[in-house]
Amino acid sequence: MKALRCENCGGAVAVQVGKPLPRCLFCGTEMTHLQPIDIAVQPPDRAAPLVLSQDDARARFQAWAKKSWMRPYKMDSAKVEVKPVYVPALRFSAEMKTRWTGKIRDRSTRSGKRPRWGIEHERINDAFVVTSEALTRAEIRALDHFRDDFIPADDRDLGIPREVGERSQRVAEVEGLDELKLRHEKILQERHALSDIRSSFTAEDIRSEHVLVPVYIGVFYLRDRSWRVLINGCTGEVVGETLRSRIKLALIGSVIALFLGGPCATMLLLGIFFPLYWAGIVDD
């Protein structure tokens, strides 16, 4: 195994010797920005199996790109090559005792809500904290759940590149407690139909293991920059930054201006936008 770091985004990937990586998996920059680094590639305890095929991952992206009417037209034809990578993470579990307060719906009250509180004690599993430098906690949290049937990890059997985790154990453990709290809060919200939940907790019998989780990464170029989409390699969940078409926003704004300011305001708005669009200063 050898490790390469991208000078653009900081992501470090371990690949099998003899298997070149032409572009960074995390930001799409070319091989010239990938530099070998001398770092020990520690084997993880277990890995979640990659279930989603590359064709399925590509289809998930295309469905996501067309999901919202407000997305730019160019996203429909964006060429994205999704690549699988194993992301290193710590998988936490603990016995959680959570004291919570929140509100539930109650039509008999003036506000339509009433307070509710309680104490619940249960084991919470599958709180993930990435040790990645290229992906964020928010991105992994948005990808949601990975599979429960983790398997022993063997570099010879993985078959795809994997990122090298470089974050400290201490920092990851602090974030792990926060993820356990958030995961329990989410469970309580769904269980009791709560809103405005607040909680405090104690955690016992905290356990963690180093794991690898499969993620497809797709990078596409729009508006003179690269955009990243992540796809859960187990469930197919898609996470990406929301893009809105400037043409469609201008059309919506013109309709609002027509009702609020009359035809003159509408013509002024369109008169500013479309010359910029035709000049190439503002695109879709």
Side-chain angles (χ1 to χ4, degrees), residues 205-220:
D205 189 24
I206 303 172
R207 302 177 188 177
S208 66
E209 60 176 346
H210 291 271
V211 298
L212 296 174
V213 292
V215 176
Y216 280 95
I217 301 178
V219 179
F220 62 96

Side-chain angles (χ1 to χ4, degrees), residues 71-82:
R71 297 249 165 87
Y73 295 112
K74 292 181 180 179
M75 279 194 67
D76 294 343
S77 57
K79 294 182 179 180
V80 178
E81 188 64 31
V82 292

Side-chain angles (χ1 to χ4, degrees), residues 213-258:
V213 292
V215 176
Y216 280 95
I217 301 178
V219 179
F220 62 96
Y221 294 88
L222 196 64
R223 296 175 182 169
D224 297 325
R225 57 161 288 192
S226 62
W227 304 82
R228 184 167 67 196
V229 175
L230 305 180
I231 304 170
N232 189 319
C234 295
T235 65
E237 184 73 23
V238 182
V239 175
E241 192 170 349
T242 301
L243 282 78
R244 291 183 173 86
S245 169
R246 292 166 178 169
I247 292 178
K248 296 172 184 176
L249 287 174
L251 292 175
I252 292 174
S254 65
V255 172
I256 295 174
L258 179 63

Side-chain angles (χ1 to χ4, degrees), residues 30 77 99 126 145 156 181 185-186 191 221 248:
E30 295 182 357
S77 57
R99 297 173 176 84
D126 296 331
H145 185 69
R156 295 169 301 176
K181 175 188 176 183
E185 281 186 347
K186 183 178 179 180
R191 181 180 297 161
Y221 294 88
K248 296 172 184 176

